[in-house]
Short mmCIF file of all heavy atoms in Angstrom, two decimals:
data_model
loop_
_atom_site.label_atom_id
_atom_site.label_comp_id
_atom_site.label_asym_id
_atom_site.label_seq_id
_atom_site.Cartn_x
_atom_site.Cartn_y
_atom_site.Cartn_z
N LEU A 41 112.32 101.44 99.33
CA LEU A 41 110.97 100.89 99.45
C LEU A 41 110.18 101.83 100.32
O LEU A 41 110.64 102.22 101.41
CB LEU A 41 111.03 99.49 100.04
CG LEU A 41 109.74 98.75 100.28
CD1 LEU A 41 108.93 98.64 99.02
CD2 LEU A 41 110.00 97.36 100.87
N GLY A 42 109.06 102.28 99.81
CA GLY A 42 108.21 103.19 100.57
C GLY A 42 106.76 103.04 100.20
O GLY A 42 106.37 102.14 99.45
N VAL A 43 105.98 103.93 100.82
CA VAL A 43 104.53 103.94 100.49
C VAL A 43 104.12 105.36 100.19
O VAL A 43 104.74 106.30 100.66
CB VAL A 43 103.66 103.39 101.68
CG1 VAL A 43 103.95 101.92 101.90
CG2 VAL A 43 103.86 104.20 102.93
N LYS A 44 103.05 105.50 99.43
CA LYS A 44 102.49 106.80 99.17
C LYS A 44 100.98 106.60 99.25
O LYS A 44 100.42 105.54 99.07
CB LYS A 44 102.91 107.36 97.83
CG LYS A 44 102.42 106.57 96.62
CD LYS A 44 102.87 107.21 95.33
CE LYS A 44 102.40 106.38 94.12
NZ LYS A 44 102.75 106.94 92.87
N THR A 45 100.28 107.70 99.54
CA THR A 45 98.83 107.68 99.65
C THR A 45 98.26 107.78 98.25
O THR A 45 98.51 108.78 97.55
CB THR A 45 98.32 108.84 100.54
OG1 THR A 45 98.95 108.77 101.78
CG2 THR A 45 96.82 108.80 100.70
N THR A 46 97.49 106.77 97.84
CA THR A 46 96.94 106.72 96.49
C THR A 46 96.11 105.48 96.34
O THR A 46 96.07 104.60 97.22
CB THR A 46 98.06 106.75 95.38
OG1 THR A 46 97.43 106.95 94.14
CG2 THR A 46 98.85 105.47 95.39
N GLY A 47 95.42 105.39 95.24
CA GLY A 47 94.69 104.17 94.87
C GLY A 47 93.40 104.01 95.62
O GLY A 47 93.07 104.79 96.53
N CYS A 48 92.65 102.98 95.30
CA CYS A 48 91.34 102.80 95.89
C CYS A 48 91.40 102.19 97.29
O CYS A 48 90.45 102.28 98.02
CB CYS A 48 90.46 101.94 95.00
SG CYS A 48 91.29 100.53 94.19
N SER A 49 92.55 101.62 97.68
CA SER A 49 92.66 101.08 99.05
C SER A 49 93.40 102.01 99.99
O SER A 49 93.48 101.76 101.18
CB SER A 49 93.38 99.68 99.02
OG SER A 49 92.52 98.72 98.47
N GLY A 50 94.07 102.99 99.47
CA GLY A 50 94.68 104.00 100.35
C GLY A 50 96.17 104.18 100.26
O GLY A 50 96.67 105.27 100.29
N LEU A 51 96.94 103.08 100.10
CA LEU A 51 98.40 103.14 100.06
C LEU A 51 98.90 102.35 98.88
O LEU A 51 98.37 101.29 98.53
CB LEU A 51 99.01 102.57 101.35
CG LEU A 51 98.68 103.30 102.64
CD1 LEU A 51 99.15 102.45 103.84
CD2 LEU A 51 99.30 104.68 102.69
N ALA A 52 99.98 102.79 98.31
CA ALA A 52 100.65 102.09 97.20
C ALA A 52 102.11 101.98 97.49
O ALA A 52 102.71 102.89 98.15
CB ALA A 52 100.43 102.77 95.87
N TYR A 53 102.77 100.94 97.00
CA TYR A 53 104.21 100.77 97.18
C TYR A 53 104.99 101.65 96.24
O TYR A 53 104.54 101.85 95.10
CB TYR A 53 104.60 99.29 96.94
CG TYR A 53 103.95 98.35 97.93
CD1 TYR A 53 102.90 97.54 97.58
CD2 TYR A 53 104.43 98.28 99.24
CE1 TYR A 53 102.32 96.65 98.48
CE2 TYR A 53 103.86 97.37 100.14
CZ TYR A 53 102.82 96.60 99.75
OH TYR A 53 102.24 95.73 100.65
N VAL A 54 106.11 102.11 96.67
CA VAL A 54 107.05 102.87 95.85
C VAL A 54 108.39 102.16 95.92
O VAL A 54 108.85 101.79 96.98
CB VAL A 54 107.22 104.32 96.37
CG1 VAL A 54 108.29 105.06 95.60
CG2 VAL A 54 105.91 105.05 96.38
N LEU A 55 109.01 101.94 94.74
CA LEU A 55 110.28 101.26 94.65
C LEU A 55 111.13 102.06 93.70
O LEU A 55 110.76 102.26 92.55
CB LEU A 55 110.11 99.83 94.17
CG LEU A 55 111.33 98.91 94.23
CD1 LEU A 55 111.80 98.71 95.65
CD2 LEU A 55 110.98 97.54 93.62
N GLU A 56 112.25 102.59 94.20
CA GLU A 56 113.12 103.43 93.35
C GLU A 56 114.58 103.32 93.77
O GLU A 56 114.89 102.80 94.85
CB GLU A 56 112.64 104.91 93.42
CG GLU A 56 112.67 105.46 94.82
CD GLU A 56 111.99 106.83 94.94
OE1 GLU A 56 111.28 107.21 93.98
OE2 GLU A 56 112.09 107.43 96.00
#
Side-chain angles (χ1 to χ4, degrees):
L41 178 57
V43 295
K44 65 179 179 178
T45 304
T46 189
C48 40
S49 287
L51 299 169
Y53 297 105
V54 176
L55 191 61
E56 59 192 11

